Amino acid sequence: MKSSRRVLSLLDQCIALRQIRQIKQIQSHLTISGTLFDSYSAAKIISFCATSDAGDVCHAYRLFCCLPYRTTHIWNTMIRAFAERNEALKTMSLYKSMRENGLLPNNYTFSFLLRSCTELSDLSLGLVIHGQTIVLGWESYDFVQNGLIHFFASCFCMDPARKLFDMSGNRDVITWTSLINGYAKSGQVLIARDLFDQMPEKNTVSWSAMINGYCQVGFFKEALEVFSDMQASGFAPNHNSIVGALTACAFLGALDQGKWIHTYLDKNKIKLDRMMGTALIDMYSKCGCIETACVVFDEMLERDVYAFTSLISGLANHGLSTLAIDLFTRMHDEGVLPNEVTFIGVLSACSRMGLVDEGLKIFESMRTVYRVEPRVQHYGCLVDLLGRVGMIDEAKKVVRTMPMEPDSYVLGALLNACRVHGNVELGQEMVGHLAKQGLDHSGVHVLLSNMYASADQWDCVKTVRETMERKRVTKVPGCSLIEVDGSVNEFVAGDRSHVLMQEIISLLLAMDKHLKSICFGDSGDDKIIYGAVVSLADIN
């Protein structure tokens, strides 16, 4: 007996020192002495092996299976081990066996089960577990309630999540953040922001949830404002908030703020992982700094399909099609498999340079080499490629033989080719197809009008304009985003408000000193901005 006590004291020392090898030796001694199957000593060994970083979950599971009697604590230990390793199916299987062995779960059991339900995104299974928490009286416990709120929010079932939140008498920052994250990810950012403003205490996770929620619905300016407020409140940016802020910078053309984030990463010696590196590449590419994007790409220690795809698309959009295609070849050589978006980027590069043979070869390789089935977007790129070089009949054949219904991009690419090459008859046919699909928006009518104008068919131009007026189709106004002193300002073509006029004048008079970058929207023409300055100056 004294020997067993001494061995158990050694076990406690080995656990404290995280010595897995010595623990297994002690287990052998307990086996020989016949005391291993004592629930106390077995629970200690299983707990260490199953849940510690230095442990061995497989060894713990083998010991667990050998035990003739298992307490609820031991079952919970194994369930927790598999839940924390994201082995959700194994977790649920263990729970089923636990019930079959006649043991009832407790609040700790349910907290791990709900974590696995969240990983599986299985609403039906989660509802079953929720029902069992109610029947067994564990629903009101903090761990279980937080788990339920997080589960329902992750499944975008916000009504039950909000009901549980309102019932909760002990809301901590995790409870608030789970609900905010659910509303943000489901696109209900106004509700998320209202809750965010009510939070008695915030952490970096809740700030990040709000930043990424704004990015998800396209409120990029608001995302950067929250990112700035986060730092003003004394919170250091974390991984998710940095990625979200870089995404916002990319879409707004906010180069100054993007550079600040890059400097922050360098200053704090934060290594670029694949996600942050890709976000930087995308930001620099969309802000016009493609050379810097290439430098970031080369500095990345690990490059995955997303990093390659982001730079390929950036090179293609900057007219560097040869480099984009070369990078696609390098991607193949490095053993990184392209995805659907990669092919859109490289096919667009071929289209811009008119590389028909190369484009057709890459399109064919999608099925034959990479086992990627072309989608409608890829057929749109192919139609654009053929249409740009005047191969209208071939492009038309692609549209008619593609295995799915052509969308507005495919038909629009063919319509644009008709405009460029003066094929009015086919252009009219394409507009007819678009009208049948309800896709004859303002851009289609304007394109058709320009095509008629190029062919000197002014009566037809008039007819198109009258049709637009009759259908009340209005052209979407162009917008421009200007970053001045780290603040992004948006101007919309046609806005004649006095306040906006004064703001434009003030900003553009200081342009030479302060302007860092310009990101143009649908207008795409800086003459519109400079024209505004002249006319406004004349007014004043």
Side-chain angles (χ1 to χ4, degrees):
M1 190 69 178
K2 290 182 179 179
S3 175
S4 296
R5 288 178 179 173
R6 187 166 60 253
V7 171
L8 288 175
S9 68
L10 289 174
L11 176 62
D12 289 334
Q13 293 178 30
C14 291
I15 289 174
L17 295 173
R18 307 169 71 82
Q19 296 172 324
I20 183 66
R21 184 178 177 183
Q22 285 76 7
I23 286 173
K24 289 181 179 180
Q25 290 175 351
I26 292 172
Q27 178 187 329
S28 299
H29 181 87
L30 292 171
T31 303
I32 295 170
S33 65
T35 56
L36 174 65
F37 295 138
D38 172 72
S39 60
Y40 175 77
S41 56
K44 281 206 164 188
I45 295 175
I46 289 173
S47 179
F48 176 80
C49 292
T51 60
S52 71
D53 295 336
D56 182 348
V57 69
C58 294
H59 181 78
Y61 185 64
R62 285 193 294 268
L63 176 57
F64 170 84
C65 292
C66 292
L67 294 178
Y69 175 74
R70 305 160 192 154
T71 63
T72 299
H73 171 68
I74 293 176
W75 279 99
N76 280 347
T77 301
M78 285 310 309
I79 288 172
R80 172 192 171 189
F82 285 113
E84 289 182 344
R85 284 164 175 76
N86 298 324
E87 296 188 39
L89 294 177
K90 188 65 178 177
T91 303
M92 303 312 298
S93 177
L94 272 175
Y95 174 63
K96 182 181 177 183
S97 298
M98 178 183 180
R99 296 302 305 271
E100 289 172 350
N101 279 270
L103 276 82
L104 290 176
N106 58 23
N107 56 333
Y108 295 104
T109 317
F110 284 118
S111 65
F112 304 133
L113 294 177
L114 288 167
R115 177 173 177 169
S116 293
C117 290
T118 303
E119 183 193 343
L120 292 170
S121 298
D122 191 330
L123 181 59
S124 299
L125 181 60
L127 289 171
V128 171
I129 299 299
H130 185 197
Q132 292 180 9
T133 66
I134 296 172
V135 171
L136 296 173
W138 297 112
E139 185 194 30
S140 61
Y141 280 73
D142 293 343
F143 286 149
V144 178
Q145 225 166 39
N146 281 341
L148 284 167
I149 292 170
H150 182 65
F151 166 71
F152 282 120
S154 68
C155 292
F156 306 136
C157 296
M158 299 313 301
D159 288 341
R162 185 59 183 264
K163 185 177 179 181
L164 286 163
F165 177 82
D166 292 337
M167 288 168 50
S168 176
N170 186 23
R171 304 169 188 164
D172 59 13
V173 67
I174 298 174
T175 316
W176 283 87
T177 302
S178 294
L179 194 65
I180 289 169
N181 198 41
Y183 276 121
K185 286 188 174 179
S186 62
Q188 303 179 67
V189 290
L190 296 180
I191 299 176
R193 183 57 191 263
D194 184 55
L195 282 168
F196 181 78
D197 291 338
Q198 295 179 45
M199 282 185 77
E201 179 187 356
K202 298 179 178 68
N203 62 12
T204 53
V205 179
S206 50
W207 284 98
S208 299
M210 201 64 249
I211 292 168
N212 286 287
Y214 273 135
C215 287
Q216 185 174 316
V217 297
F219 290 6
F220 301 112
K221 187 175 180 180
E222 289 80 356
L224 286 184
E225 288 172 353
V226 174
F227 183 71
S228 177
D229 291 342
M230 174 185 180
Q231 296 166 74
S233 300
F235 290 90
N238 64 357
H239 181 278
N240 287 339
S241 61
I242 287 172
V243 171
L246 286 171
T247 301
C249 290
F251 279 92
L252 292 174
L255 181 60
D256 262 4
Q257 294 191 48
K259 283 183 174 179
W260 182 91
I261 294 171
H262 194 180
T263 302
Y264 175 86
L265 294 174
D266 289 340
K267 184 178 179 181
N268 290 276
K269 295 181 170 55
I270 300 175
K271 291 184 179 180
L272 289 182
D273 63 8
R274 288 175 292 185
M275 191 173 290
M276 281 194 293
T278 301
L280 272 174
I281 291 168
D282 188 53
M283 184 275 295
Y284 279 122
S285 296
K286 288 179 178 175
C287 289
C289 301
I290 192 63
E291 297 86 357
T292 311
C294 292
V295 171
V296 172
F297 179 84
D298 291 333
E299 288 177 349
M300 291 177 66
L301 299 177
E302 291 184 69
R303 293 183 286 266
D304 60 7
V305 59
Y306 303 105
F308 273 99
T309 299
S310 182
L311 188 55
I312 286 171
S313 299
L315 291 167
N317 291 332
H318 281 78
L320 303 172
S321 299
T322 302
L323 292 178
I325 296 169
D326 289 344
L327 187 60
F328 179 74
T329 303
R330 177 181 168 186
M331 181 181 185
H332 175 82
D333 294 340
E334 292 187 13
V336 180
L337 293 176
N339 60 18
E340 294 176 351
V341 183
T342 314
F343 283 107
I344 293 174
V346 74
L347 287 171
S348 297
C350 293
S351 179
R352 284 178 169 82
M353 282 195 68
L355 301 175
V356 177
D357 292 338
E358 185 73 20
L360 291 172
K361 181 181 176 182
I362 291 172
F363 185 84
E364 184 62 27
S365 72
M366 290 181 66
R367 285 198 191 95
T368 58
V369 178
Y370 299 103
R371 301 291 186 267
V372 176
E373 193 64 30
R375 300 172 69 90
V376 66
Q377 297 94 330
H378 304 107
Y379 281 100
C381 291
L382 186 59
V383 170
D384 186 54
L385 169 63
L386 296 170
R388 282 179 184 245
V389 297
M391 299 173 67
I392 305 296
D393 292 336
E394 290 82 352
K396 185 178 179 181
K397 182 179 178 181
V398 170
V399 173
R400 288 180 173 175
T401 58
M402 58 190 290
M404 71 283 290
E405 191 73 20
D407 65 358
S408 60
Y409 179 76
V410 175
L411 297 175
L414 188 53
L415 177 60
N416 187 59
C418 295
R419 180 190 67 81
V420 173
H421 298 284
N423 194 328
V424 177
E425 184 178 345
L426 181 57
Q428 290 173 325
E429 183 183 337
M430 290 304 101
V431 172
H433 284 302
L434 288 165
K436 286 180 182 178
Q437 296 182 29
L439 301 172
D440 54 334
H441 49 74
S442 62
V444 172
H445 287 285
V446 171
L447 197 59
L448 182 62
S449 174
N450 292 341
M451 182 175 64
Y452 284 136
S454 299
D456 290 331
Q457 297 183 20
W458 299 106
D459 290 339
C460 294
V461 172
K462 182 180 178 182
T463 301
V464 172
R465 297 293 178 177
E466 289 174 349
T467 300
M468 291 179 67
E469 291 179 8
R470 186 176 68 255
K471 291 185 175 182
R472 295 183 179 179
V473 176
T474 58
K475 185 179 183 299
V476 178
C479 67
S480 300
L481 301 173
I482 303 177
E483 183 187 19
V484 179
D485 289 338
S487 178
V488 178
N489 299 270
E490 181 178 15
F491 304 107
V492 179
D495 192 329
R496 304 291 294 173
S497 69
H498 180 71
V499 174
L500 181 62
M501 291 180 186
Q502 296 296 335
E503 196 172 0
I504 293 174
I505 294 170
S506 300
L507 284 170
L508 292 174
L509 286 176
M511 183 179 293
D512 290 340
K513 182 179 180 182
H514 296 291
L515 186 62
K516 302 299 181 185
S517 65
I518 302 176
C519 178
F520 295 106
D522 292 335
S523 61
D525 189 352
D526 55 349
K527 292 180 181 178
I528 294 176
I529 293 179
Y530 288 107
V533 177
V534 173
S535 61
L536 292 174
D538 291 341
I539 292 173
N540 287 288

